[in-house]
Amino acid sequence: KQHLEVTRDIAIKINEAYGPVFKLPEPQISDDIAIIPGVDGQKMSKSYGNTIDIFMEEKALRKRVMGIVTDSTPLEAPKDPEGSTSVAAMEEEFRAGGVGYGHFKQRLFEAIWEYFAPVRARRQELLDDPGYVDEVLRQGAERAEAIAAGTLHRVREAVGLR
């Protein structure tokens, strides 16, 4: 969001000085995902080392998921599903007790491992064919350059450099 705010400030200054050159960007961040908790319960951040990398090796991913911070409620005690990232189907198990956080973590690991299996396979395909990746990047650069050229033309016209 900070990068968008800087971009917006620059666009406002140019628009104030030279007319409506740029459309002002608006953030589109849902309140329910504005802050995502990391595995340690703090704000998720790669710099904090509290993320779950979907491309981790299986053993490392399992260790990361199983290390998710939870409270110390005993296995047999009921758990409060409020504030949990569990789905509605797990609520009854939370309240009933007899299932520990380790069980839920194991299910989470299995769900992550299975869900992202196609993505991991596709990533490996791309790693095995760097020529394809280079071609996609080249094509994307050409498209971006064409769009940027139009924008630069509008800016130069607006500020009198044409």
Side-chain angles (χ1 to χ4, degrees):
K1 185 174 178 182
Q2 293 88 343
H3 294 101
L4 188 63
E5 289 170 357
V6 169
T7 303
R8 186 176 169 81
D9 290 345
I10 293 169
I12 287 170
K13 293 291 185 192
I14 290 174
N15 287 351
E16 285 173 352
Y18 301 105
V21 178
F22 292 118
K23 180 179 176 183
L24 298 182
E26 295 290 339
Q28 295 181 350
I29 303 170
S30 300
D31 289 338
D32 58 333
I33 60 167
I35 296 179
I36 299 172
V39 296
D40 59 0
Q42 303 301 312
K43 175 183 163 188
M44 185 182 290
S45 171
K46 288 194 312 188
S47 62
Y48 296 163
N50 65 359
T51 61
I52 295 177
D53 181 354
I54 63 172
F55 298 116
M56 286 178 153
E57 294 296 324
E58 183 176 6
K59 187 175 179 179
L61 177 62
R62 181 183 307 275
K63 183 177 179 181
R64 181 66 57 93
V65 170
M66 298 309 284
I68 293 173
V69 173
T70 55
D71 63 33
S72 58
T73 306
L75 176 67
E76 62 280 355
K79 284 105 187 132
D80 182 7
E82 287 302 313
S84 172
T85 57
S86 66
V87 294
M90 294 171 61
E91 286 185 8
E92 187 175 315
E93 290 178 287
F94 264 95
R95 289 190 176 100
V99 180
Y101 290 118
H103 296 99
F104 294 119
K105 290 177 187 180
Q106 178 61 31
R107 289 183 200 168
L108 175 61
F109 162 75
E110 290 168 1
I112 291 170
W113 190 252
E114 182 180 324
Y115 183 83
F116 289 107
V119 177
R120 284 191 309 275
R122 179 64 176 142
R123 180 178 191 251
Q124 190 58 52
E125 289 173 16
L126 295 173
L127 289 171
D128 293 342
D129 188 4
Y132 171 77
V133 174
D134 290 340
E135 178 59 21
V136 169
L137 291 171
R138 187 193 62 72
Q139 290 175 5
E142 285 179 4
R143 286 194 307 273
E145 188 175 333
I147 293 167
T151 302
L152 283 172
H153 178 76
R154 277 195 341 266
V155 171
R156 286 185 181 119
E157 288 286 327
V159 301
L161 296 176
R162 276 267 179 213

